[in-house]
Amino acid sequence: MAHAAALAWRTHLPDHVRQPLLRFYEEDELERVCNALARPPAHSCVRANTVRISGEELAGRMREELERLAVREGPSEHAGVSRYGEVRVHEVIGDAVVIRPDEHDAREILPEGRELVVSRRCAEAVLRGSHIFIPGMMGCSPHTAKGDVVTVLCDVQDRFLRGASTHILSTRKLDPKRMKGFVSNHMHEVSDEKKQQFRLNNSKLSHLYGDTNRSSDASFPELPEGIVVIGKGVMQVDRRVAMSAKEGLGCIMTECIFRAPPLNGLLPGLMYVQNFPSIVVGHVLDPQPGERILDMCASPGGKTTHAAAIMQGEGSVTAIDRTQAKAAVIRENAQHLGLKNVWVLKGDSSSIPPVGGNVPLPEELEVDAVEPSGGGVGGEVKKKIQFDELFDRIILDPPCTALGLRPRLAVDIPPIEMERTPAYQRRMMHVAVGLLKTGGRLVYSTCTINPEENECNVAWALKALPLKLLRASPIVAKPGRPESDRQRKGEGKEKKEEEQKQEQKKEEKEKKEREGKQWMGKGRNNLQMIKRRTSE
């Protein structure tokens, strides 16, 4: 039986994530944040590669490309407007092109055909406009063939083994034999008790994660917990290839709960797909021609290439990340955009020697050091670099809990990461100060909503490091949470609890003193009584 999907999208936060955030957010405020996190942003954004094209020119080209892509879906419901919405240059950030869909509310999806189950990360990409690539496919209906229409489901909890044959839409149940932890070469090794418990869990129809997929027929059961419908598509490969290949396009999305344009691969070399806040970072940094710029945690290279483009090839941008694979991605993106003033280095930004005079480049960084004069991002030249106060401006976008990324259908951050990440970021800030010239500019940015990693780290840096706070420009959003908020919601709460404990201790002490006095009083009375008897 077909059904329409009724949406109630919300990101579920585990307690070890939720409780630290409640030190800074009110309950209703955090609830609104969770509701927003599960949905994609209201608009998509790309950055014009200004060494080749202006923002206005890119906007015009984008309109043409999106109109061409929209032909197969038919005309827009709004006359004179592209199916993918309005395309315009941002009014403040001139190299940012914004695509705002003509509808942002979640749409109902009427399932049809066979079913395809994708991973959570794949589903999150689809909600931003991506098609489905083979590595994200986890299971599908038996005998699914190329050209078949499929209803795309997401298992938010990522429980499926790749290659599973699924019958979720027809049975409204999950088969334990297809799930992680319940499949082995010898099924008899799985106890009957575990199988029974697993089936019992699957029979529960409440939802933590969002789409309840209600049927128009109230008697028709909902989908199992954690299974959401995200859209429909057309298979580009058959089931055998989909479940065995390691790369390639697997399914073209024809309908999605949230409308967003497929941007990857459009206008190669002329634009870079980048979230708007990340584009703002480059303008706040404000690199000048001839300066030395450092991006300390650079992969995949969005901020690196933006700084290089703003400088129009004059000066140098050094990009560092800790693995060869990440360094290769930065190098590839810089080459793709035609930027010649980028150095790509492999290394750990938390341990670059920040002070001590003429500090040579660590050995692991020497291997990938690249001189702009030697072919920019193309060559590899061993070179000793003095890293003490070398850079005019530094971008520090350190590893974070990424709680601000959208859409986020589930949060799987380990408790230890919530605890250790702020300290790790502070270590990088300390290193950055040693690399920055006196009078230089450090821009610190994250993609998380955790104030411990944002405002609290900035407050720490202003107290512990030789830095002063500058007013960011341009300003395109509301300011962050001031330190006073932390005092009120975080330290203020702890202080209040401490005062309550002290008051409780004081009351207990006074109570004991009163009891002691009463006991002493009884003792004196007894003594008096004894004295009287003695005198008598």
Side-chain angles (χ1 to χ4, degrees):
M1 180 183 295
H3 68 278
L7 276 299
W9 291 88
R10 178 182 178 277
T11 299
H12 172 72
L13 297 179
D15 284 343
H16 68 268
V17 175
R18 184 179 184 83
Q19 292 305 319
L21 292 179
L22 286 176
R23 295 181 58 231
F24 305 93
Y25 294 89
E26 302 293 347
E27 286 275 4
D28 58 342
E29 184 183 16
L30 187 58
E31 187 70 19
R32 290 195 300 271
V33 169
C34 289
N35 291 338
L37 285 177
R39 296 168 175 262
H43 59 263
S44 300
C45 193
V46 298
R47 172 173 56 81
N49 180 17
T50 52
V51 299
R52 291 177 173 172
I53 193 171
S54 68
E56 289 290 350
E57 291 172 330
L58 178 62
R61 296 283 298 275
M62 286 291 296
R63 293 187 192 100
E64 297 173 1
E65 290 294 318
L66 293 180
E67 287 290 352
R68 181 180 61 80
L69 288 173
V71 168
R72 65 169 177 261
E73 293 190 31
S76 170
E77 298 173 5
H78 304 275
V81 180
S82 165
R83 171 164 289 277
Y84 288 114
E86 178 189 11
V87 181
R88 60 179 176 82
V89 177
H90 191 271
E91 56 272 15
V92 177
I93 308 298
D95 56 359
V97 176
V98 178
I99 304 101
R100 183 179 292 274
D102 53 17
E103 54 177 313
H104 184 61
D105 292 335
R107 301 184 296 166
E108 290 190 339
I109 301 295
L110 189 66
E112 63 175 298
R114 302 181 186 275
E115 65 188 41
L116 171 66
V117 179
V118 300
S119 67
R120 174 175 62 84
R121 293 190 183 277
C122 177
E124 290 169 350
V126 168
L127 294 176
R128 291 299 304 268
S130 175
H131 295 302
I132 297 173
F133 290 83
I134 289 175
M137 294 178 164
M138 302 307 296
C140 62
S141 301
H143 312 298
T144 301
K146 180 178 179 179
D148 283 352
V149 174
V150 291
T151 298
V152 181
L153 308 176
C154 169
D155 175 25
V156 176
Q157 300 177 36
D158 280 335
R159 294 162 292 183
F160 281 89
L161 289 167
R162 191 175 182 207
S165 294
T166 62
H167 308 81
I168 300 172
L169 289 175
S170 59
T171 65
R172 292 307 199 268
K173 297 291 179 69
L174 302 180
D175 185 351
K177 292 183 292 184
R178 314 295 182 189
M179 316 299 285
K180 295 176 182 177
F182 289 87
V183 177
S184 67
N185 293 330
H186 305 283
M187 282 303 296
H188 65 270
E189 294 178 2
V190 181
S191 67
D192 291 338
E193 182 181 352
K194 283 188 176 181
K195 291 179 183 178
Q196 184 64 27
Q197 182 61 42
F198 191 78
R199 293 190 179 98
L200 178 63
N201 292 340
N202 289 339
S203 67
K204 297 178 181 178
L205 300 177
S206 61
H207 286 249
L208 289 174
Y209 299 96
D211 182 7
T212 56
N213 298 299
R214 298 183 185 278
S215 168
S216 56
D217 179 359
S219 64
F220 198 65
E222 301 169 357
L223 291 177
E225 179 181 321
I227 300 295
V228 296
V229 175
I230 62 172
K232 293 188 292 189
V234 177
M235 292 291 290
Q236 302 301 296
V237 294
D238 60 23
R239 172 183 163 76
R240 180 184 62 81
V241 176
M243 297 298 113
S244 61
K246 295 183 179 180
E247 59 183 15
L249 179 63
C251 179
I252 290 180
M253 295 298 296
T254 57
E255 192 173 355
C256 186
I257 281 181
F258 296 101
R259 189 185 299 283
L263 299 174
N264 286 329
L266 289 184
L267 303 175
L270 298 181
M271 70 176 199
Y272 187 89
V273 179
Q274 192 170 17
N275 287 328
F276 183 71
S278 296
I279 298 177
V280 173
V281 169
H283 291 279
V284 172
L285 183 71
D286 192 26
Q288 301 299 310
E291 290 184 333
R292 287 176 173 173
I293 311 299
L294 173 65
D295 190 350
M296 292 181 65
C297 304
S299 184
K303 298 179 184 67
T304 294
T305 55
H306 191 194
I310 292 175
M311 296 166 70
Q312 292 292 305
E314 298 182 24
S316 65
V317 182
T318 301
I320 299 178
D321 223 304
R322 61 188 307 167
T323 68
Q324 291 283 8
K326 289 185 175 182
V329 171
I330 303 168
R331 190 176 293 115
E332 180 181 351
N333 282 328
Q335 288 176 333
H336 184 66
L337 296 171
L339 299 168
K340 303 296 184 181
N341 57 330
V342 176
W343 295 16
V344 181
L345 311 177
K346 170 188 168 292
D348 184 355
S349 290
S350 68
S351 60
I352 298 173
V355 292
N358 298 334
V359 181
L361 191 65
E363 184 177 352
E364 64 270 20
L365 294 184
E366 291 180 21
V367 176
D368 291 321
V370 179
E371 290 183 311
S373 59
V377 295
E380 292 188 357
V381 181
K382 281 195 174 184
K383 182 178 178 64
K384 295 285 184 179
I385 299 178
Q386 297 176 358
F387 262 57
D388 187 22
E389 295 194 11
L390 178 65
F391 299 98
D392 298 284
R393 300 170 196 258
I394 294 177
I395 304 169
L396 176 55
D397 189 347
C400 68
T401 52
L403 291 172
L405 292 180
R406 299 173 60 190
R408 192 76 181 261
L409 299 183
V411 174
D412 53 2
I413 301 169
I416 192 67
E417 187 174 332
M418 285 292 294
E419 297 172 6
R420 291 183 176 179
T421 298
Y424 183 64
Q425 294 163 339
R426 292 180 182 186
R427 179 179 172 184
M428 286 193 173
M429 294 174 80
H430 181 79
V431 172
V433 170
L435 304 176
L436 188 64
K437 290 181 179 179
T438 301
R441 177 175 296 189
L442 169 65
V443 176
Y444 176 78
S445 71
T446 73
C447 55
T448 186
I449 60 170
N450 182 11
E452 285 283 1
E453 302 172 61
N454 296 331
E455 292 84 357
C456 296
N457 267 354
V458 171
W460 169 85
L462 294 176
K463 294 177 182 178
L465 302 174
L467 295 170
K468 68 176 182 179
L469 193 62
L470 299 177
R471 182 177 178 83
S473 178
I475 297 177
V476 294
K478 295 180 180 179
R481 294 173 173 271
E483 177 71 6
S484 58
D485 268 20
R486 181 174 189 268
Q487 295 288 342
R488 178 169 59 85
K489 296 181 182 291
E491 293 177 350
K493 183 178 179 180
E494 293 176 354
K495 185 177 180 181
K496 186 176 180 180
E497 291 175 352
E498 184 63 28
E499 289 175 351
Q500 289 175 347
K501 289 180 181 179
Q502 293 296 335
E503 186 67 25
Q504 186 177 359
K505 288 181 180 179
K506 184 178 179 181
E507 290 177 358
E508 290 176 354
K509 183 178 180 181
E510 291 176 350
K511 183 179 179 181
K512 288 181 179 180
E513 289 178 352
R514 287 195 300 270
E515 291 175 349
K517 289 179 180 178
Q518 291 174 1
W519 183 85
M520 289 296 292
K522 291 178 181 178
R524 285 195 294 271
N525 290 336
N526 290 335
L527 287 172
Q528 290 172 359
M529 289 176 65
I530 293 172
K531 286 182 179 179
R532 288 193 190 102
R533 288 175 182 171
T534 303
S535 61
E536 293 175 354

